[in-house]
Amino acid sequence: EADIYQTPRYLVIGTGKKITLECSQTMGHDKMYWYQQDPGMELHLIHYSYGVNSTEKGDLSSESTVSRIRTEHFPLTLESARPSHTSQYLCASSEGGNYGYTFGSGTRLTVV
Amino acid sequence: AQTVTQSQPEMSVQEAETVTLSCTYDTSESDYYLFWYKQPPSRQMILVIRQEAYKQQNATENRFSVNFQKAAKSFSLKISDSQLGDAAMYFCAYRSVKLIFGTGTRLQVFP
């Protein structure tokens, strides 16, 4: 079944650690997105990609980085995690045009 | 820039009753798409319903329907015969190039 997968589902790490949040989709979508969801549940676009080797920063400034080496894979990396990075991170993908986004289950990150 | 406003941070409804969630948006474009997404607690965000701006007919998906007023830039979601499983955060979203979300409405359903 076509879907979008995020791992890990929950992560608690110490300050200063490097982490990578994984996101993979099996739908062949060219467009992929990372959103940060704050405790008030508001969604902020932090990165997006319209295809392989194409990445752009979103509307909210983020210290994270992304890569898109394969169509199906769009990982997000934090080189040195801080408590301010504590949040839920949602990955999504889409076809173009009038289609909505398909979301993963999210990664809830806590930096202590 | 396009904006999406959901003025109701929280709503509640009795099981089997009807509830309407409000959404307004601002855009200068004529061709766009509107969506309602549902995010249950600790679960995946899913698409509830979508509306093409060029269609005057309001979209309907089972118990979910929208009231799309293009001139007023309003896009409300009506949930009929509410069920306990409808309890969730509901996000209104606008898409021309990228998807822009409102701040969400938390819906509680009481037995």
Side-chain angles (χ1 to χ4, degrees):
Chain A
E1 181 179 329
D3 209 335
I4 182 165
Y5 305 96
Q6 287 188 246
T7 57
R9 185 75 176 89
Y10 300 94
L11 179 62
V12 181
I13 61 166
T15 298
K17 298 291 187 184
K18 177 180 178 179
I19 58 166
T20 296
L21 308 185
E22 301 289 347
C23 177
S24 295
Q25 50 99 1
T26 59
M27 296 168 284
H29 290 167
D30 285 328
K31 304 182 195 311
M32 295 189 74
Y33 310 84
W34 276 104
Y35 283 85
Q36 185 172 339
Q37 188 169 32
D38 62 29
M41 303 299 283
E42 194 164 346
L43 292 150
H44 303 282
L45 179 67
I46 53 175
H47 297 283
Y48 61 98
S49 167
Y50 286 167
V52 172
N53 294 324
S54 158
T55 62
E56 301 286 345
K57 290 191 179 295
D59 304 321
L60 179 69
S61 176
S62 173
E63 294 166 345
S64 58
T65 59
V66 292
S67 62
R68 190 86 183 277
I69 299 173
R70 304 196 314 266
T71 297
E72 63 271 22
H73 195 213
F74 190 41
L76 180 145
T77 298
L78 278 164
E79 290 292 333
S80 180
R82 296 207 299 268
S84 60
H85 296 140
T86 295
S87 190
Q88 167 138 275
Y89 292 85
L90 297 178
C91 181
S93 71
S94 80
E95 301 178 66
N98 63 344
Y99 294 96
Y101 292 4
T102 302
F103 283 85
S105 298
T107 293
R108 187 168 296 280
L109 173 66
T110 302
V111 184
V112 297
Chain B
Q2 297 88 5
T3 58
V4 178
T5 302
Q6 292 180 250
S7 59
Q8 304 155 318
E10 291 192 0
M11 292 283 286
S12 61
V13 64
Q14 204 90 25
E15 203 174 3
E17 297 296 311
T18 295
V19 64
T20 298
L21 308 184
S22 300
C23 174
T24 58
Y25 58 95
D26 188 25
T27 184
S28 59
E29 298 175 335
S30 58
D31 190 18
Y32 51 87
Y33 306 94
L34 297 164
F35 305 87
W36 277 98
Y37 280 87
K38 170 186 178 182
Q39 187 179 31
S42 301
R43 290 179 61 188
Q44 195 169 5
M45 187 170 318
I46 59 173
L47 179 64
V48 174
I49 198 165
R50 73 175 184 218
Q51 174 81 42
E52 291 94 336
Y54 64 86
K55 288 187 177 179
Q56 292 187 332
Q57 187 174 6
N58 290 323
T60 299
E61 289 286 343
N62 300 313
R63 298 182 295 106
F64 298 87
S65 61
V66 298
N67 183 4
F68 173 49
Q69 302 289 330
K70 190 173 184 179
K73 296 179 183 175
S74 171
F75 183 60
S76 61
L77 175 70
K78 185 171 82 171
I79 306 173
S80 304
D81 186 24
S82 297
Q83 301 174 0
L84 295 177
D86 294 333
M89 283 291 290
Y90 285 83
F91 293 94
C92 178
Y94 167 103
R95 181 175 190 179
S96 60
V97 177
K98 288 178 287 183
L99 204 57
I100 300 168
F101 289 92
T103 52
T105 297
R106 186 179 302 278
L107 178 66
Q108 294 181 300
V109 181
F110 295 103

